[in-house]
Amino acid sequence: MFGLSTSNIWAITQRLAGPSAAGKWTGLQNAFGNLAGAFGPWLSGILVERSGSYVPAFALVSIVMGLGAVSFLVLIPRVEPVDWASLSTSPSKPRYADP
């Protein structure tokens, strides 16, 4: 199951994006992933300063993680390996061959 660890995240991106789009997907993945690293501490600091407790910061993180898990389960269809060779548009091999 995807998402249970991060050691496979680059292999998944390259496998699903294919050779022509792997760099773009990786760039977007890095950009959105780094947003949390940039804004998370800032927002947590504001919540702790205003409330005097870490509870609101942890509650917000829990809600965001829960929404992420639910959206992953609802929005992402079944992930299957993509056979990029059969989708190739090279002139030497027809895209759709008759059986």
Side-chain angles (χ1 to χ4, degrees):
M1 179 182 250
F2 293 159
L4 293 179
S5 94
T6 58
S7 62
N8 61 0
I9 203 158
W10 300 117
I12 293 169
T13 301
Q14 293 172 9
R15 175 74 179 219
L16 296 178
S20 63
K24 295 173 194 169
W25 282 33
T26 302
L28 283 172
Q29 186 173 328
N30 270 338
F32 284 105
N34 287 328
L35 284 176
F39 291 109
W42 171 75
L43 184 57
S44 295
I46 289 173
L47 292 172
V48 170
E49 183 179 329
R50 290 188 181 179
S51 69
S53 170
Y54 286 95
V55 172
F58 281 108
L60 178 62
V61 168
S62 299
I63 291 168
V64 170
M65 287 179 62
L67 289 172
V70 169
S71 65
F72 180 83
L73 293 172
V74 172
L75 298 177
I76 305 295
R78 181 179 170 154
V79 179
E80 297 177 1
V82 178
D83 184 9
W84 292 105
S86 69
L87 298 175
S88 175
T89 58
S90 66
S92 62
K93 181 179 177 185
R95 184 168 184 172
Y96 301 105
D98 292 324

